[in-house]
Amino acid sequence: MKKPSANVGLLKESIFSEMTMKANQLGAINLSQGFPDFDGPSFIKDYVNEAMEGPYNQYGPPSGAMALRLSLGEMYKKIYGLSYDPNNEITVTNGATEGLFCSFLALLDPGDEVILFEPYYDSYLASIQMVGAKAKPVTLRGPDFGLPIEELEKAFTDKTKLIVLNSPHNPTGKVFSKAELQALSEMIIKHDVFVISDEVYEFLTFDDHKHIPISSLPGMRERTIMISSSGKTFSFTGWKIGWCLASEELTKAIRMVHQFNTFGAAHPLQVAVSKAINKIEDYLVPFRESYQKKREILYEGLKKSELQPFLPEGTFFILCQIPQGKNKTDVEYCFELMESKKVAAIPPSAFYSRSPEEGQKYVRFCFAKKDETLRSAVINLLEAKG
Ligand code: PMP
Ligand code: GLN
């Protein structure tokens, strides 16, 4: 018998749904997989019902419902001053995950090298492996997880085709500063490579931290595929409506892959998301305030526990250091936490391939949860301390 694809044989199973399943089995409070334990606003759900009464129940255009592409074009102009043409520079995908997959396929040939920062969202490595390209991870290290410029410079070779950036960054909560993005973009231009910029947490930043799209920096627009999603912003992660913004040339390549991958995303949901985006400026004010409070509840609680949390600048995750004397890997620690304290978290070594021992030092908690869920989790964690 012949065997399935060797490239597919390289892939690891995604840890996220496994942890959610285990948390449910054990009745643990689930702060593992990144999704809210509450629904987004009911006015957005009403938009879906309305769309299902209208002419939106059949295939839409593969590049995305025009209403959504128009809303996205307006939003990115208003918020960041970025101008993308809805006709040929914006593509709607099934979540950011499909946008990422199509972008990797659109840009890479077998043997190309891709620089990515570890810890990284697991779909990047999988997409790179499926194409038969080679990942070159560069490790971000605590406590500040800043750009390791020298190491990064060494990672470039004449085979480097692209670099993957994720800011705000899952799982560290780091928001890359303007100076860091500038340094990075100079390297990108010097080495003549592309960037896939995963910005799904673009509206989840705290205190004075501001998200800056790398495509807004000089010389970067033509080299960047900017990817985002409605999942985190509107608290409907199960809808899987995402998008890619890129130059006309790159968009053509993305759309080529997308039409034969999924063809299109759920039509009524796209129409609903377009209406939600038209109201985004008012929506974001209470949204950010509620997440600032959630971060506070979990961070203050974790500070009192045996774990040492890093205060996230963005995203809805808190990364914590496991006490050194524990002699436990992140996986062992997470399973112990789930059994004895009934709180589920993510072991971040799943986000590393070059230096997994670095990931073994940490645990990741998600605070996209009701305030009472977070308070109960803190009570459990502190009760278990002694
Ligand atoms: N990128 C990052 C960094 C993520 O954390 C996630 C998952 N939440 C995604 C992409 C996937 O987004 P989507 O659910 O829209 O596919
Ligand atoms: N991005 C989410 C996380 O980091 C999970 C998404 C998924 O389950 N694929 O937890």
Side-chain angles (χ1 to χ4, degrees):
M1 271 282 268
K2 291 194 171 147
K3 295 265 189 268
S5 153
N7 283 345
V8 170
L10 299 172
L11 309 186
K12 287 195 268 179
E13 259 171 62
S14 166
I15 186 130
F16 302 114
S17 27
E18 187 195 333
M19 292 310 277
T20 288
M21 209 175 66
K22 293 234 160 76
N24 291 341
Q25 274 166 3
L26 291 172
I29 299 173
N30 188 7
L31 306 192
S32 65
Q33 192 176 17
F35 65 89
D37 68 346
F38 48 88
D39 268 357
S42 56
F43 75 88
I44 303 181
K45 288 196 226 172
D46 293 341
Y47 293 151
V48 182
N49 290 328
E50 283 162 27
M52 289 207 283
E53 293 305 319
Y56 301 113
N57 292 313
Q58 313 305 333
Y59 297 130
S63 48
M66 198 59 206
L68 178 52
R69 284 183 282 142
L70 286 168
S71 305
L72 289 167
E74 283 300 310
M75 176 181 84
Y76 283 103
K77 202 176 294 159
K78 239 196 245 169
I79 295 187
Y80 306 112
L82 289 170
S83 175
Y84 282 94
D85 183 345
N87 288 307
N88 46 33
E89 295 186 317
I90 300 179
T91 308
V92 179
T93 54
N94 286 270
T97 308
E98 197 227 347
L100 287 159
F101 184 74
C102 293
S103 300
F104 283 109
L105 256 73
L107 294 180
L108 292 175
D109 289 307
D112 284 344
E113 290 182 3
V114 182
I115 297 176
L116 68 168
F117 297 109
E118 68 175 11
Y120 47 73
Y121 178 54
D122 59 356
S123 89
Y124 309 156
L125 179 64
S127 303
I128 295 165
Q129 289 172 322
M130 280 187 265
V131 187
K134 187 171 177 229
K136 298 265 299 248
V138 170
T139 310
L140 302 177
R141 290 171 201 276
D144 64 344
F145 302 100
L147 266 196
I149 300 277
E150 276 174 36
E151 209 185 320
L152 185 57
E153 186 60 64
K154 282 191 207 136
F156 283 94
T157 73
D158 54 5
K159 292 203 182 120
T160 310
K161 184 81 176 280
L162 98 96
I163 179 157
V164 188
L165 174 69
N166 169 219
S167 183
H169 183 256
N170 175 9
T172 63
K174 159 101 183 150
V175 177
F176 286 86
S177 67
K178 179 124 195 213
E180 285 174 309
L181 293 175
Q182 236 144 12
L184 186 61
S185 64
E186 278 161 26
M187 261 187 233
I188 286 165
I189 293 168
K190 180 172 117 191
H191 291 281
D192 186 20
V193 298
F194 292 113
V195 192
I196 292 182
S197 179
D198 178 347
E199 304 180 23
V200 298
Y201 300 101
E202 60 185 321
F203 299 122
L204 274 167
T205 55
F206 307 109
D207 309 324
D208 296 333
H209 297 285
K210 272 197 85 163
H211 171 64
I212 302 167
I214 194 164
S215 59
S216 66
L217 271 61
M220 290 307 296
R221 188 186 188 280
E222 299 308 298
R223 301 181 172 275
T224 305
I225 300 179
M226 178 174 172
I227 297 180
S228 192
S229 162
S230 62
K232 334 283 163 187
T233 302
F234 295 111
S235 308
F236 290 115
T237 59
W239 289 12
K240 301 295 288 183
I241 301 296
W243 45 84
C244 300
L245 273 59
S247 68
E248 188 169 347
E249 188 191 5
L250 297 186
T251 295
K252 263 191 199 145
I254 293 165
R255 288 183 182 180
M256 279 296 160
V257 182
H258 168 70
Q259 68 178 337
F260 294 120
N261 184 27
T262 58
F263 188 78
H267 203 176
L269 298 181
Q270 294 186 58
V271 173
V273 170
S274 100
K275 291 187 177 164
I277 284 176
N278 294 343
K279 296 196 170 157
I280 196 160
E281 278 172 306
D282 290 339
Y283 166 81
L284 284 179
V285 178
F287 172 76
R288 283 197 154 116
E289 277 169 12
S290 80
Y291 268 100
Q292 182 93 30
K293 183 171 172 207
K294 292 180 191 307
R295 182 188 71 153
E296 194 78 4
I297 297 171
L298 187 60
Y299 179 73
E300 290 304 321
L302 285 166
K303 264 202 328 199
K304 294 189 195 120
S305 78
E306 65 177 11
L307 290 158
Q308 291 159 273
F310 299 102
L311 184 67
E313 299 166 347
T315 76
F316 48 46
F317 301 113
I318 298 183
L319 197 67
C320 300
Q321 186 143 0
I322 302 170
Q324 258 154 17
K326 280 275 155 188
N327 272 335
K328 285 202 164 60
T329 66
D330 58 333
V331 175
E332 289 162 351
Y333 192 87
C334 281
F335 278 99
E336 188 187 278
L337 205 66
M338 188 141 55
E339 292 273 352
S340 65
K341 296 145 200 180
K342 296 280 181 278
V343 177
I346 289 286
S349 52
F351 294 65
Y352 292 75
S353 49
R354 178 171 166 230
S355 317
E357 72 289 349
E358 187 64 22
Q360 286 175 0
K361 300 198 295 207
Y362 304 123
V363 189
R364 188 198 79 178
F365 294 93
C366 170
F367 58 90
K369 307 292 163 188
K370 293 178 195 138
D371 294 358
E372 63 259 35
T373 309
L374 296 170
R375 288 199 185 95
S376 305
V378 167
I379 289 170
N380 284 13
L381 289 168
L382 296 186
E383 266 178 359
K385 193 179 172 187

